[in-house]
Amino acid sequence: MIDLFIIKVGGNVIDNPVLLQSFLEKFAAVPGKKILIHGGGKIATRIGDQLGIKSNYVDGRRITDAATIDLVTMVYGGLVNKQLVAKLQTNGCNAMGLTGADGNIIPAVKRPVKDIDYGFVGDVNTAALHTAPLKALLEAGITPVFAPLTHDGNGQILNTNADTIASSLAIALSAAYSVRLIYCFEKKGVLRDPADDNAVINLINKEIYQQLLAEKILTDGILPKLQNAFGAIENGVKEVLIGHADDVLSNTTAKVAGTLIC
Amino acid sequence: MIDLFIIKVGGNVIDNPVLLQSFLEKFAAVPGKKILIHGGGKIATRIGDQLGIKSNYVDGRRITDAATIDLVTMVYGGLVNKQLVAKLQTNGCNAMGLTGADGNIIPAVKRPVKDIDYGFVGDVNTAALHTAPLKALLEAGITPVFAPLTHDGNGQILNTNADTIASSLAIALSAAYSVRLIYCFEKKGVLRDPADDNAVINLINKEIYQQLLAEKILTDGILPKLQNAFGAIENGVKEVLIGHADDVLSNTTAKVAGTLIC
């Protein structure tokens, strides 16, 4: 019996007012304890452009210089996060917007410079997560909503991958709750054929995963999500569900839309 | 015996790195349960200028149009608030940054348009404050840090006076705690002579207040603070302390720096 839903929603939903409204209604309707982790979306780039802060990417990853960490702290931690909270409140969900710095819930380490200097990017210090404040909020009927930001414990906010925050929180909280971790993205689930949006693989376990890897069916985009998912399962998370924001929240029974990983 | 300190710090401290660092160390050292409410500072105006958002003031009050509420949500609710949280964490204070929308703690009403349309400015709905989430945080050893923002319950963030948020929270929480409300500002306290920074009136009660009003000693700047203070006292707050950020937090005994109102 799942008693905590940890749900990650990406920038593609944040950027689309119609998708977002529909998602927030469905999220608010998920019964019981839940946590939302949101990505950034394109608005940081847009506001950064207006402020003369150039977005630099290497291999699809944003380089977070000093101006950029202030930008994403404003936009992700302020504008996006608080607007989500205000909207969830209208849907009857008592949301509270946080970053990993708040309550020292998610300490992180600035990524060491090897080939690439990612700047103010944080890798979650999974062993040091503080779940007590989160549990106090969940037990008080509050729904925490996390921006993709952490801190280094020395006063520096760090930009952090939202997928990783979601799986780290899911693992840490699986000691106290039976957790379903849900990744909402633009596809209906893991696809057997990338060209066929309806070719959803409904169930992936360790054996099927090895088989899919051997058949080279998995695309680059889905591989990190599956690695994250199996990492979560191996560390106590009950199940991971990957699918489209529109239908992956609608059922909480055994019959699921999307891809269930267990 | 005071068991909750509610402390408001203004933009003049937020804008000054040296004053701010000193203030945060002293704030972190205040023993027991405490809440911080911060003003905005000039950084919103600076970033707004870069974004082409013009700051409009009428009688010293910012007019909050649609672009400006997004701006202050980013800057006050994101940048300023989360940087304060990260800095307090380094000083051993387990801070959590919030707005009035978070946990639906501070519902507000968009100010009705009379002579002036203040735009997206919220007047606190004092009768509707939700203190349960705040109490859960305080009991869990967390220090809530509020940006001067509320919401209307219909998805709209509202810009709200930080002094009013502080007094509203103090009143609502005085049902559960013995509250000292502290206003930090640029003067050492209420002055008997505006030209003499050391002419601090150390104690003001109702009788002395009436006398000061009759003598026309109180300046326009201090009057709203005193009205707020007496409003708080009349509604259950144990005492209100007004003084300079540098020394008003240093003692928690009967002998106080600044002006004590009771």
Side-chain angles (χ1 to χ4, degrees):
Chain A
M1 182 62 188
I2 300 297
D3 54 14
L4 176 61
F5 295 87
I6 298 187
I7 297 163
K8 186 259 169 169
V9 66
N12 65 313
V13 175
I14 303 289
D15 285 333
N16 181 327
V18 176
L19 256 185
L20 180 61
Q21 183 53 37
S22 158
F23 169 80
L24 292 176
E25 284 167 19
K26 282 167 183 157
F27 177 84
V30 171
K33 296 182 175 66
K34 57 202 170 191
I35 297 174
L36 180 63
I37 298 98
H38 63 84
K42 295 206 171 69
I43 187 171
T45 304
R46 196 159 68 240
I47 293 175
D49 285 345
Q50 289 181 273
L51 291 172
I53 300 168
K54 224 180 111 212
S55 296
N56 289 313
Y57 289 86
V58 173
D59 296 341
R61 285 165 186 257
R62 186 193 277 276
I63 305 294
T64 308
D65 61 11
T68 302
I69 190 63
D70 282 359
L71 173 69
V72 297
T73 301
M74 288 198 310
V75 177
Y76 300 165
L79 191 61
V80 173
N81 186 267
K82 298 310 176 186
Q83 286 186 341
L84 287 177
V85 166
K87 282 176 183 155
L88 283 170
Q89 293 286 349
T90 69
N91 286 291
C93 171
N94 198 2
M96 183 178 281
L98 302 172
T99 69
D102 296 298
N104 195 21
I105 292 170
I106 315 175
V109 175
K110 187 172 177 290
R111 187 169 298 165
V113 178
K114 290 179 193 163
D115 298 339
I116 300 168
D117 183 357
Y118 288 104
F120 295 104
V121 166
D123 293 319
V124 175
N125 188 349
T126 48
L129 255 65
H130 293 102
T131 56
L134 267 185
K135 281 188 246 174
L137 291 172
L138 291 168
E139 298 303 325
I142 300 285
T143 295
V145 175
F146 280 91
L149 300 167
T150 58
H151 76 138
D152 71 354
N154 291 311
Q156 181 63 55
I157 302 282
L158 297 168
N159 199 1
T160 299
N161 181 278
D163 284 12
T164 312
I165 289 181
S167 60
S168 301
L169 289 177
I171 291 167
L173 286 163
S174 64
Y177 301 98
S178 182
V179 177
R180 176 183 284 182
L181 171 61
I182 305 180
Y183 287 111
C184 300
F185 78 140
E186 62 278 14
K187 302 283 184 184
K188 286 188 178 174
V190 180
L191 302 179
R192 180 165 289 280
D193 173 4
D196 180 0
D197 268 355
N198 291 313
V200 176
I201 307 171
N202 284 116
L203 188 84
I204 300 184
N205 59 22
K206 200 97 201 178
E207 291 74 46
I208 299 174
Y209 181 47
Q210 294 303 332
Q211 199 178 316
L212 293 168
L213 284 174
E215 294 174 26
K216 297 192 194 310
I217 275 172
L218 302 168
T219 58
D220 288 353
I222 202 70
L223 257 179
K225 280 193 199 299
L226 283 174
Q227 282 160 355
N228 242 338
F230 278 106
I233 299 283
E234 278 159 20
N235 286 282
V237 175
K238 190 81 180 292
E239 53 194 34
V240 182
L241 185 59
I242 299 181
H244 195 280
D246 251 5
D247 50 33
V248 85
L249 299 183
S250 299
N251 59 66
T252 53
T253 64
K255 188 186 171 307
V256 291
T259 301
L260 189 71
I261 295 145
C262 58
Chain B
M1 182 63 188
I2 300 297
D3 55 14
L4 175 61
F5 294 86
I6 298 186
I7 297 164
K8 186 259 169 168
V9 65
N12 65 312
V13 174
I14 303 288
D15 285 334
N16 181 328
V18 176
L19 255 185
L20 180 60
Q21 183 53 36
S22 158
F23 169 79
L24 291 176
E25 285 167 19
K26 281 167 184 158
F27 177 83
V30 171
K33 296 184 175 66
K34 55 203 171 191
I35 298 174
L36 180 64
I37 299 98
H38 63 84
K42 296 206 171 72
I43 186 171
T45 304
R46 198 159 68 241
I47 293 176
D49 285 346
Q50 289 180 271
L51 291 172
I53 300 168
K54 223 179 113 215
S55 295
N56 290 313
Y57 290 85
V58 173
D59 296 340
R61 287 166 185 256
R62 187 192 276 277
I63 304 297
T64 308
D65 61 13
T68 302
I69 189 64
D70 283 359
L71 173 70
V72 297
T73 301
M74 290 200 308
V75 177
Y76 301 165
L79 191 61
V80 173
N81 188 266
K82 299 309 176 186
Q83 286 187 341
L84 287 178
V85 166
K87 282 175 182 155
L88 283 170
Q89 292 286 347
T90 71
N91 287 291
C93 172
N94 198 1
M96 182 177 281
L98 302 172
T99 69
D102 296 298
N104 196 20
I105 293 169
I106 316 175
V109 175
K110 186 170 177 292
R111 186 169 299 164
V113 178
K114 288 177 192 165
D115 298 339
I116 300 167
D117 182 356
Y118 288 103
F120 295 104
V121 165
D123 293 319
V124 175
N125 188 349
T126 48
L129 255 64
H130 292 103
T131 56
L134 266 185
K135 282 189 244 172
L137 291 173
L138 290 167
E139 298 301 326
I142 301 284
T143 296
V145 175
F146 279 91
L149 300 166
T150 58
H151 75 140
D152 71 354
N154 291 311
Q156 180 64 55
I157 302 283
L158 296 168
N159 199 0
T160 298
N161 181 277
D163 283 12
T164 311
I165 289 181
S167 60
S168 301
L169 289 177
I171 291 167
L173 287 163
S174 64
Y177 301 98
S178 182
V179 177
R180 176 184 283 182
L181 170 61
I182 305 181
Y183 287 110
C184 299
F185 79 139
E186 62 279 13
K187 300 284 184 185
K188 287 189 177 174
V190 180
L191 302 178
R192 180 165 290 279
D193 173 3
D196 179 1
D197 267 355
N198 291 312
V200 176
I201 307 170
N202 285 116
L203 188 84
I204 300 184
N205 59 23
K206 200 95 200 180
E207 290 74 46
I208 299 174
Y209 182 48
Q210 293 304 332
Q211 200 178 316
L212 292 168
L213 284 174
E215 293 173 26
K216 297 195 193 313
I217 276 173
L218 303 168
T219 58
D220 288 353
I222 202 70
L223 257 179
K225 281 194 199 299
L226 283 174
Q227 282 160 353
N228 242 337
F230 278 106
I233 299 283
E234 278 160 19
N235 286 283
V237 176
K238 191 82 181 293
E239 53 194 32
V240 182
L241 185 58
I242 299 180
H244 195 280
D246 251 4
D247 50 33
V248 84
L249 299 183
S250 298
N251 61 65
T252 54
T253 64
K255 190 189 170 301
V256 290
T259 301
L260 188 72
I261 296 143
C262 58

mmCIF file of all heavy atoms in Angstrom, chain B residues 151-168:
data_model
loop_
_atom_site.group_PDB
_atom_site.id
_atom_site.type_symbol
_atom_site.label_atom_id
_atom_site.label_comp_id
_atom_site.label_asym_id
_atom_site.label_seq_id
_atom_site.Cartn_x
_atom_site.Cartn_y
_atom_site.Cartn_z
ATOM 1 N N HIS B 151 -0.994 35.792 -0.549
ATOM 2 C CA HIS B 151 -1.763 35.391 -1.736
ATOM 3 C C HIS B 151 -3.257 35.566 -1.478
ATOM 4 O O HIS B 151 -3.675 35.718 -0.327
ATOM 5 C CB HIS B 151 -1.450 33.940 -2.138
ATOM 6 C CG HIS B 151 -2.079 32.900 -1.261
ATOM 7 N ND1 HIS B 151 -2.629 31.737 -1.757
ATOM 8 C CD2 HIS B 151 -2.262 32.847 0.079
ATOM 9 C CE1 HIS B 151 -3.107 31.019 -0.758
ATOM 10 N NE2 HIS B 151 -2.888 31.650 0.355
ATOM 11 N N ASP B 152 -4.016 35.591 -2.562
ATOM 12 C CA ASP B 152 -5.454 35.881 -2.438
ATOM 13 C C ASP B 152 -6.310 34.613 -2.400
ATOM 14 O O ASP B 152 -7.538 34.705 -2.348
ATOM 15 C CB ASP B 152 -5.919 36.824 -3.564
ATOM 16 C CG ASP B 152 -5.953 36.145 -4.934
ATOM 17 O OD1 ASP B 152 -5.512 34.972 -5.039
ATOM 18 O OD2 ASP B 152 -6.424 36.786 -5.890
ATOM 19 N N GLY B 153 -5.685 33.441 -2.451
ATOM 20 C CA GLY B 153 -6.451 32.194 -2.447
ATOM 21 C C GLY B 153 -7.029 31.836 -3.807
ATOM 22 O O GLY B 153 -7.617 30.777 -3.980
ATOM 23 N N ASN B 154 -6.858 32.737 -4.777
ATOM 24 C CA ASN B 154 -7.295 32.458 -6.150
ATOM 25 C C ASN B 154 -6.117 32.377 -7.115
ATOM 26 O O ASN B 154 -6.250 32.627 -8.307
ATOM 27 C CB ASN B 154 -8.288 33.519 -6.628
ATOM 28 C CG ASN B 154 -9.605 33.418 -5.892
ATOM 29 O OD1 ASN B 154 -10.171 32.334 -5.774
ATOM 30 N ND2 ASN B 154 -10.071 34.541 -5.361
ATOM 31 N N GLY B 155 -4.944 32.074 -6.568
ATOM 32 C CA GLY B 155 -3.782 31.861 -7.427
ATOM 33 C C GLY B 155 -2.918 33.081 -7.629
ATOM 34 O O GLY B 155 -1.926 33.022 -8.357
ATOM 35 N N GLN B 156 -3.287 34.189 -7.002
ATOM 36 C CA GLN B 156 -2.537 35.431 -7.195
ATOM 37 C C GLN B 156 -1.659 35.740 -5.990
ATOM 38 O O GLN B 156 -2.165 35.857 -4.871
ATOM 39 C CB GLN B 156 -3.521 36.593 -7.431
ATOM 40 C CG GLN B 156 -2.851 37.940 -7.655
ATOM 41 C CD GLN B 156 -2.009 37.961 -8.921
ATOM 42 O OE1 GLN B 156 -2.493 37.658 -10.006
ATOM 43 N NE2 GLN B 156 -0.722 38.311 -8.779
ATOM 44 N N ILE B 157 -0.334 35.866 -6.240
ATOM 45 C CA ILE B 157 0.580 36.357 -5.202
ATOM 46 C C ILE B 157 0.349 37.867 -5.029
ATOM 47 O O ILE B 157 0.065 38.569 -6.002
ATOM 48 C CB ILE B 157 2.047 36.106 -5.625
ATOM 49 C CG1 ILE B 157 2.304 34.613 -5.896
ATOM 50 C CG2 ILE B 157 3.035 36.658 -4.597
ATOM 51 C CD1 ILE B 157 2.456 33.756 -4.688
ATOM 52 N N LEU B 158 0.470 38.342 -3.794
ATOM 53 C CA LEU B 158 0.265 39.768 -3.514
ATOM 54 C C LEU B 158 1.442 40.330 -2.718
ATOM 55 O O LEU B 158 1.994 39.652 -1.838
ATOM 56 C CB LEU B 158 -1.042 39.962 -2.719
ATOM 57 C CG LEU B 158 -2.335 39.556 -3.448
ATOM 58 C CD1 LEU B 158 -3.512 39.512 -2.476
ATOM 59 C CD2 LEU B 158 -2.641 40.515 -4.603
ATOM 60 N N ASN B 159 1.819 41.535 -3.032
ATOM 61 C CA ASN B 159 2.880 42.270 -2.353
ATOM 62 C C ASN B 159 2.316 42.816 -1.035
ATOM 63 O O ASN B 159 1.245 43.427 -1.037
ATOM 64 C CB ASN B 159 3.303 43.434 -3.271
ATOM 65 C CG ASN B 159 4.663 44.002 -2.944
ATOM 66 O OD1 ASN B 159 5.337 43.545 -2.027
ATOM 67 N ND2 ASN B 159 5.066 45.009 -3.707
ATOM 68 N N THR B 160 2.982 42.557 0.079
ATOM 69 C CA THR B 160 2.397 42.934 1.369
ATOM 70 C C THR B 160 3.455 43.517 2.291
ATOM 71 O O THR B 160 4.589 43.054 2.339
ATOM 72 C CB THR B 160 1.731 41.698 2.012
ATOM 73 O OG1 THR B 160 0.673 41.251 1.154
ATOM 74 C CG2 THR B 160 1.118 42.027 3.369
ATOM 75 N N ASN B 161 3.060 44.551 3.011
ATOM 76 C CA ASN B 161 3.946 45.248 3.941
ATOM 77 C C ASN B 161 4.507 44.294 4.994
ATOM 78 O O ASN B 161 3.768 43.587 5.672
ATOM 79 C CB ASN B 161 3.117 46.371 4.598
ATOM 80 C CG ASN B 161 3.924 47.186 5.557
ATOM 81 O OD1 ASN B 161 4.099 46.789 6.704
ATOM 82 N ND2 ASN B 161 4.430 48.313 5.104
ATOM 83 N N ALA B 162 5.836 44.286 5.123
ATOM 84 C CA ALA B 162 6.491 43.344 6.033
ATOM 85 C C ALA B 162 6.166 43.642 7.496
ATOM 86 O O ALA B 162 6.032 42.720 8.312
ATOM 87 C CB ALA B 162 8.006 43.365 5.812
ATOM 88 N N ASP B 163 6.025 44.938 7.856
ATOM 89 C CA ASP B 163 5.655 45.293 9.235
ATOM 90 C C ASP B 163 4.308 44.673 9.600
ATOM 91 O O ASP B 163 4.110 44.177 10.715
ATOM 92 C CB ASP B 163 5.537 46.819 9.393
ATOM 93 C CG ASP B 163 6.892 47.510 9.486
ATOM 94 O OD1 ASP B 163 7.913 46.847 9.210
ATOM 95 O OD2 ASP B 163 6.921 48.710 9.827
ATOM 96 N N THR B 164 3.376 44.722 8.641
ATOM 97 C CA THR B 164 2.033 44.196 8.897
ATOM 98 C C THR B 164 2.057 42.673 9.007
ATOM 99 O O THR B 164 1.353 42.094 9.842
ATOM 100 C CB THR B 164 1.080 44.614 7.752
ATOM 101 O OG1 THR B 164 1.234 46.002 7.524
ATOM 102 C CG2 THR B 164 -0.351 44.307 8.106
ATOM 103 N N ILE B 165 2.847 42.027 8.142
ATOM 104 C CA ILE B 165 2.975 40.569 8.249
ATOM 105 C C ILE B 165 3.506 40.206 9.626
ATOM 106 O O ILE B 165 2.979 39.305 10.304
ATOM 107 C CB ILE B 165 3.905 40.019 7.141
ATOM 108 C CG1 ILE B 165 3.206 40.121 5.781
ATOM 109 C CG2 ILE B 165 4.315 38.575 7.435
ATOM 110 C CD1 ILE B 165 4.018 39.573 4.613
ATOM 111 N N ALA B 166 4.529 40.940 10.084
ATOM 112 C CA ALA B 166 5.129 40.652 11.393
ATOM 113 C C ALA B 166 4.102 40.794 12.511
ATOM 114 O O ALA B 166 3.966 39.904 13.360
ATOM 115 C CB ALA B 166 6.316 41.578 11.631
ATOM 116 N N SER B 167 3.353 41.903 12.512
ATOM 117 C CA SER B 167 2.396 42.102 13.611
ATOM 118 C C SER B 167 1.241 41.109 13.516
ATOM 119 O O SER B 167 0.760 40.601 14.531
ATOM 120 C CB SER B 167 1.883 43.548 13.663
ATOM 121 O OG SER B 167 1.231 43.890 12.474
ATOM 122 N N SER B 168 0.820 40.776 12.288
ATOM 123 C CA SER B 168 -0.278 39.809 12.125
ATOM 124 C C SER B 168 0.128 38.433 12.643
ATOM 125 O O SER B 168 -0.651 37.760 13.338
ATOM 126 C CB SER B 168 -0.681 39.694 10.654
ATOM 127 O OG SER B 168 -1.087 40.942 10.154
#
